[in-house]
Amino acid sequence: MSSTTSSFPERIELVGEGLVLRDWTEADTSAMPELFDHPDIAYWTPIVSPFDDAAARARLERARQLRAEGTAVLLAITVDGGAPLGEVMLRRSPEGTEIGYAVGPAHRGQGLAARAVRVMADHAFEQLGVERVILELEAENAASVAVATKAGFSLLDVPLIEGAEKGRPYALQTWGLNRP
């Protein structure tokens, strides 16, 4: 099965590693600014900054659009299906099946990102039939390098992905995890 031709289901809930990864809802938009309006997230991710209520509504709409297009799935990271603590994303791109993540500042240090990445990777392997998932991150982002390592990813020997976003240049390393 080609990972670029199948669509994503209308609803997704993934359970594992003490987490419930679930679809974002309208009720979650009030929690999103607390999670995403932070200097670290503004610097290291493409998430808009400042992140306010309007940005939350736009993100929810964009998540639904990307899912409908079969391009990406954005899920809230929770421990029980309730309050969102962060986000994990699975995106199909020419470079491969990529996972991204962001955890709200108040919820860091609990291993949420690494656990969410492993659950999402398992989903990609088992349900989507992909052979490898990747993370694209900056070497200077020590927290993301730690997540990649904890989640079992290895740095791949591929060229850096260079560009600019939000007025600053970046060089992304590609980390990979192969189907077990």
Side-chain angles (χ1 to χ4, degrees), residues 20 30 109 133 138 166:
V20 177
S30 63
V133 292
E138 294 180 67
K166 297 181 185 177

Side-chain angles (χ1 to χ4, degrees), residues 99-118:
I99 297 176
Y101 46 87
V103 173
H107 310 293
R108 294 181 184 159
Q110 303 173 47
L112 295 170
R115 291 187 287 152
V117 165
R118 286 191 298 262

Side-chain angles (χ1 to χ4, degrees), residues 95-99 132-136 153 156 174-177:
E95 297 80 29
T97 302
E98 177 189 3
I99 297 176
R132 172 186 280 171
V133 292
I134 60 172
L135 305 174
E136 295 174 346
F153 284 68
L156 302 179
T174 303
W175 292 67
L177 180 67

Side-chain angles (χ1 to χ4, degrees), residues 1-8 70-71 90-93 96-97 124 128-132:
M1 164 179 23
S2 169
S3 65
T4 59
T5 58
S6 62
S7 62
F8 293 115
T71 304
L90 181 78
R91 180 176 72 97
R92 295 176 172 137
S93 70
T97 302
L128 304 178
V130 302
E131 295 300 318
R132 172 186 280 171

Side-chain angles (χ1 to χ4, degrees), residues 1-164:
M1 164 179 23
S2 169
S3 65
T4 59
T5 58
S6 62
S7 62
F8 293 115
E10 187 176 318
R11 308 257 331 132
I12 297 177
E13 182 175 280
L14 308 177
V15 178
E17 301 227 9
L19 299 176
V20 177
L21 309 180
R22 62 163 176 79
D23 292 313
W24 287 105
T25 68
E26 285 83 5
D28 295 322
T29 58
S30 63
M32 287 179 167
E34 182 181 326
L35 299 175
F36 300 137
D37 192 35
H38 189 270
D40 286 349
I41 291 176
Y43 188 82
W44 296 115
T45 76
I47 294 175
V48 300
S49 179
F51 196 97
D52 56 15
D53 291 335
R57 289 187 300 277
R59 188 154 184 87
L60 178 62
E61 182 58 35
R62 182 71 177 141
R64 290 175 174 166
Q65 178 185 3
L66 291 169
R67 164 111 35 117
E69 294 169 357
T71 304
V73 172
L74 286 72
L75 300 176
I77 300 170
T78 78
V79 293
D80 57 5
L85 309 175
E87 176 177 86
V88 63
M89 174 217 49
L90 181 78
R91 180 176 72 97
R92 295 176 172 137
S93 70
E95 297 80 29
T97 302
E98 177 189 3
I99 297 176
Y101 46 87
V103 173
H107 310 293
R108 294 181 184 159
Q110 303 173 47
L112 295 170
R115 291 187 287 152
V117 165
R118 286 191 298 262
V119 171
M120 188 65 93
D122 288 346
H123 174 72
F125 297 141
E126 295 169 11
Q127 300 301 314
L128 304 178
V130 302
E131 295 300 318
R132 172 186 280 171
V133 292
I134 60 172
L135 305 174
E136 295 174 346
L137 52 98
E138 294 180 67
E140 297 82 13
N141 187 343
S144 278
V145 170
V147 167
T149 302
K150 287 178 189 173
F153 284 68
S154 300
L155 183 61
L156 302 179
D157 187 18
V158 298
L160 293 173
I161 301 166
E162 297 181 298

